[in-house]
Structures are given as C-alpha cells and as structure tokens.
Amino acid sequence: MQHHLLGIEGMTAAQITALLDLSERHVAANRAEEKKSALLRGRTQINLFFENSTRTRTSFELAGKRLGADVINMSVATSAIKKGETLIDTAMTLNAMHPDLLVVRHPDSGAVALLAGKVDAAVINAGDGRHEHPTQALLDALTIRRRKGRLSGLTVAICGDILHSRVARSNIHLLSVMGARVRLVAPPTLLPERAGVFGAEIHHDMRAGLKDADIVMMLRLQTERMQGSFVPSIREYYHFFGLDRTKLAHARPDALIMHPGPMNRGVEIDSEVADDIHRSLIREQVEMGVAIRMACLQYCLGLSDGENGKVRGEDA
Ligand code: NCD
C-alpha cells in the first residue's frame, strides 16, 4: 500500500513519532562501514527537481541507494520541461515507466499534490513553493529530539524570512502537533498576513523572541521569492535580525542553533555562531536528513524492517 507524503499538516503525533523512531535505526546504519540494505531492492525511485537543490536531492539519492533502490535523478535543466512540456505531461511520461517512488520539488505551492493525483507511484514532497517541506521538518525534529530528548514543552524560535519559507510552515505544524511552543520572530514584512492563525507567538524583536528559547532556528532570506524589496538593506537586516553572540545571549544558556541551509553568512547568521560546535546543530541536521529520508521512503511504500511489515503509527 503506497502513501504520499505531501505535508506535515494533517499528520498525527503518532505518525510523526513512528517516522522519527524508524529513522533512529538508519542513523546507526549510516554510521557503519557497510551502509547498504536490500529493503527497497527492485524498486525504482525518481527524483524530479524543478528547482535547484544540493542537500535535499543528494540526501534523497543517498537514502534510496542505501536501501537498495534504483535511483534516477531528473533536473529541469536536462528535462523536456525546458521544451515546454507541462508538469502533468512529465508526470504521465514518468508514470508510464512504473516508478515506485517520485520525489518532487517544484517552485509552485500545490504543484506536488497536483502531480500526486495523477500518478500511481508514492509521491514525496521535497518542497513546493512556500507551502511545505515535510522531510525538512522531520529531520529538524529528529535532530532536536536526539539532543534534547523530547520535543514537547520546548520553546522553539523560528526567525527570519517566514513569509517565503516552506521550512517554517512545515516546522510550525510539526512542532505544534508535538507539543512544543513556537515563536515566530521576523520584521512585519517577512511574516504572512495571518501569521497568527498558526497559533504561534509573534515577535518583531530578536531579544524578546529569543528570550529563554531552547532552540533558535534561523531561516535564509529567500531573495529569489521576493518581488520588490522586503528589507531596507542587508546591513540593516543583519543588524536587527542576524543571529550573533549578543542576540543569542537572550536565549537559554543551553540553547541550540539550527539552519536548514543554504546559509547566507553575515545576512541571517554570523559565522561565529553558525560554526560553534557546542551550539550549532547545522551539520547534524544534514546527517539526520539522510536517515529521515530513508524512513520516509519506507513509510511511503508501507514497508518496515519491523515484524508485522507495517510502519508503526500509520493507522493512528
Ligand atoms: C530549504 C528549501 O529549499 O526550502 N533548503 C533545504 O531544503 N535545505 C530552505 C532554503 O532554501 O532556504
């Protein structure tokens, strides 16, 4: 039985916990010398990326290969999309080749769900416009849970360009379902108009927003999604919203720093904090990305290395 993974919205705490638990086993396997298993042997995975990506595409590729699947990468530059083929035509063409999994990234919100409705394969959303990026939120949750031992009761400050961020949206849903307190810290121009509907606390000042936070999650200023100007200048943005030691001092003394990457050093984050091995989880987030994506591939195919052949939590 295949499942699509299109977003965190609508997922239950039990489903999320099951995915995190499943990923834990892959973390260990990924650190071993022999990394390959045969769980997805004979399955075909196509990574279809209509937007540039380094870590997400690479980690989906590694995840599939480590589970023994045949993995094919298609990127816009080399595909028929450049020749004018529509999203749906591309989906139908690929569908005819009987892939089991399609991992899709697209610049338009909703495009991945549209495609999922047309194909037989299980579809995983690797980021659609500013809508959702479910595997990023899951890998963030795994990283936090491994360090802090829990998600529930933690205060997580998500800071920066929330308006354009699918990472923020998926994280807000996930953290809320898992019982964390979410704060959104940004200038009013970089917050969605109805940011309040998410049930998060809103702050326009880093000091107040970071006060007693357990996790400080920084977001990239997504200039490619901006039409017009959203910040007066990069210098001013860095001054008020860039994370440096002084601003970090308002968070809890054991607060940890996260960033989904790619980072704009000196814009939303200072190198001194980004590279602080005691406080920064950025490298670990990348490592957890592979394990999470392995678990998601399994989940979508209804496969588990457990006894009953089911991914726990799926019926909850
Ligand atoms: C994010 C994305 O693409 O949404 N990056 C990622 O997946 N690692 C965040 C970003 O591009 O800023």
Side-chain angles (χ1 to χ4, degrees):
M1 191 27 205
Q2 46 97 309
H3 305 259
H4 299 310
L5 180 60
L6 301 175
I8 300 292
E9 190 175 11
M11 284 181 83
T12 62
Q15 285 172 319
I16 292 166
T17 303
L19 275 171
L20 299 182
D21 292 347
L22 198 58
S23 307
E24 290 285 0
R25 299 185 228 169
H26 297 307
V27 175
N30 284 336
R31 287 177 180 173
E33 204 166 326
E34 173 57 60
K35 298 178 180 58
K36 215 160 159 133
S37 80
L39 201 66
L40 297 194
R41 190 162 56 202
R43 308 294 177 118
T44 307
Q45 171 190 337
I46 302 182
N47 298 332
L48 182 57
F49 278 64
F50 295 94
E51 237 185 35
N52 290 339
S53 166
T54 311
R55 67 209 82 213
T56 305
R57 198 197 53 71
T58 314
S59 65
F60 267 115
E61 181 175 354
L62 272 180
K65 287 182 170 164
R66 286 188 183 165
L67 292 176
D70 294 316
V71 185
I72 287 154
N73 293 306
M74 277 189 61
S75 63
V76 183
T78 52
S79 80
I81 298 290
K82 278 268 149 93
K83 300 177 188 162
E85 190 173 82
T86 66
L87 173 66
I88 300 306
D89 284 338
T90 306
M92 296 320 290
T93 304
L94 295 176
N95 195 46
M97 299 176 194
H98 300 293
D100 300 282
L101 288 151
L102 277 175
V103 178
V104 187
R105 171 170 282 196
H106 197 280
D108 297 333
S109 305
V112 181
L114 184 76
L115 186 145
K118 309 277 181 194
V119 297
D120 302 309
V123 175
I124 300 183
N125 182 2
D128 64 324
R130 38 170 106 172
H131 175 229
E132 280 235 35
H133 190 354
T135 58
Q136 178 70 44
L138 287 162
L139 78 87
D140 289 340
L142 180 65
T143 310
I144 298 172
R145 197 180 75 165
R146 286 173 61 89
R147 274 302 186 97
K148 296 282 184 192
R150 66 199 161 105
L151 292 163
S152 169
L154 295 178
T155 299
V156 182
I158 305 178
C159 313
D161 186 359
I162 292 159
L163 178 65
H164 300 102
S165 178
R166 52 196 176 207
V167 175
R169 244 164 225 80
S170 292
N171 262 302
I172 293 166
H173 289 304
L174 187 148
L175 292 164
S176 309
V177 169
M178 299 308 283
R181 275 187 295 274
V182 182
R183 291 194 195 145
L184 305 179
V185 191
T189 49
L190 291 179
L191 276 168
E193 231 168 80
R194 295 170 59 239
V197 300
F198 294 123
E201 252 178 62
I202 311 284
H203 291 274
H204 302 307
D205 175 80
M206 285 286 271
R207 280 164 307 188
L210 262 52
K211 191 172 175 342
D212 298 330
D214 297 286
I215 301 288
V216 181
M217 190 181 282
M218 300 308 299
L219 297 173
R220 183 173 66 89
L221 207 52
Q222 305 206 8
T223 45
E224 79 277 19
R225 297 193 202 287
M226 296 181 188
Q227 268 132 24
S229 106
F230 286 74
V231 293
S233 73
I234 296 297
R235 242 180 96 145
E236 189 169 334
Y237 182 77
Y238 178 70
H239 178 71
F240 288 107
F241 292 96
L243 185 69
D244 56 14
R245 286 239 171 268
T246 317
K247 295 190 191 82
L248 183 62
H250 295 276
R252 283 175 58 97
D254 60 350
L256 298 169
I257 303 155
M258 304 178 77
H259 193 304
M263 274 187 279
N264 292 312
R265 292 169 183 268
V267 180
E268 70 267 356
I269 192 162
D270 182 39
S271 284
E272 203 197 340
V273 289
D275 300 332
D276 181 339
I277 51 166
H278 303 294
R279 308 294 292 275
S280 171
L281 296 180
I282 297 169
R283 198 202 57 83
E284 217 162 302
Q285 285 173 274
V286 178
E287 183 187 357
M288 294 308 130
V290 181
I292 274 291
R293 285 164 182 136
M294 290 166 85
C296 290
L297 295 173
Q298 266 186 274
Y299 167 86
C300 286
L301 293 178
L303 296 171
S304 140
D305 38 15
E307 282 135 46
N308 59 8
K310 278 197 162 182
V311 180
R312 279 172 302 128
E314 68 178 3
D315 298 323

